[in-house]
Amino acid sequence: MTLPANPWLQGAFWSLLTIAFYLLAKAIHRRWRRSWLTPLLLAPALLLVPVLALHASYHDYISATGWLVALLGPTTVAFAVPIYEQRAVIRRYWPVLALGALAGSLTAVLTSWALATLLGLDGALRLSLLPRSISTPFAMAMSTDIGGLPDLTAIFVVITGVLGGVIGEVLLLRLKVRSALAKGAALGMGAHGAGTAKAQELGREEGTIAGLVMVLVGLLNVLAAPLLAWCLAP
């Protein structure tokens, strides 16, 4: 089997395949709630099969599915909705949420920098790693602002989310954290979307707080990105 030569047909082929595999991954994850079956991880893994079989390059794939990436912009704007809906929670816990988001963001950036140093990453690779602890739309925007590679950042975000979702629950149990607010905030901060999904499994309040923290941290990092870029400028 070979790819169609027409760019429009290629675009339709890869776009439909991406959407189909994502929906399939969601159905599988809904049936078997395992962290390693999250659509963030499973959908790209499924896509590797046709990509390798058809000898397609990354350039071919991303050129054909660029419109899906462009949807991240409206998605980012849509995050304002849950913030508005949870305004009562924000009013009640705003000092804790603000301090937690700030402390978590600083910790995430500093540990990413340390991890990049440990792995010998430098330049654009290092900068791409820094936004790994915020959700994909915010992370890709921040990566662009500070000089990273947004596509590579998206991969780091997925890895961080999956690992955070798996390790986070175990860590909370080990630390004997009982507060729903603390559990939700920790999972939303440490593992963004995957952490929020895990928090929703723990309880409604945990899920609400995790989603709220995920959005607040994303907005905080995007707003702080120009300052971070200025600090990192040679």
Side-chain angles (χ1 to χ4, degrees), residues 28-183:
I28 292 174
H29 186 249
R30 198 161 41 241
R31 176 65 178 83
W32 294 282
R33 289 280 182 182
R34 302 287 186 275
S35 299
W36 53 274
L37 288 177
T38 177
L40 282 174
L41 192 62
L42 185 56
L46 292 172
L47 272 169
L48 277 178
V49 176
V51 166
L52 294 176
L54 296 170
H55 304 288
S57 67
Y58 174 76
H59 180 266
D60 292 336
Y61 176 78
I62 202 65
S63 297
T65 58
W67 68 276
L68 290 172
V69 178
L71 290 178
L72 289 174
T75 302
T76 304
V77 175
F79 277 135
V81 176
I83 288 184
Y84 177 76
E85 291 177 343
Q86 300 301 327
R87 58 192 183 283
V89 177
I90 295 177
R91 278 198 297 268
R92 185 177 179 187
Y93 297 115
W94 73 265
V96 176
L97 292 173
L99 284 175
L102 182 61
S105 297
L106 288 174
T107 303
V109 170
L110 291 175
T111 55
S112 298
W113 187 276
L115 180 61
T117 302
L118 184 67
L119 296 175
L121 303 180
D122 212 343
L125 290 179
R126 180 194 293 273
L127 297 176
S128 303
L129 186 62
L130 298 187
R132 66 183 173 85
S133 292
I134 56 179
S135 58
T136 306
F138 297 115
M140 293 182 75
M142 181 178 174
S143 181
T144 302
D145 287 346
I146 64 177
L149 305 171
D151 296 335
L152 186 58
T153 295
I155 296 173
F156 290 144
V157 168
V158 171
I159 295 172
T160 300
V162 172
L163 288 178
V166 173
I167 299 172
E169 186 179 10
V170 177
L171 193 60
L172 291 173
L173 285 173
R174 294 278 184 183
L175 294 174
K176 298 180 179 178
V177 177
R178 294 184 175 83
S179 164
L181 175 68
K183 289 180 183 178

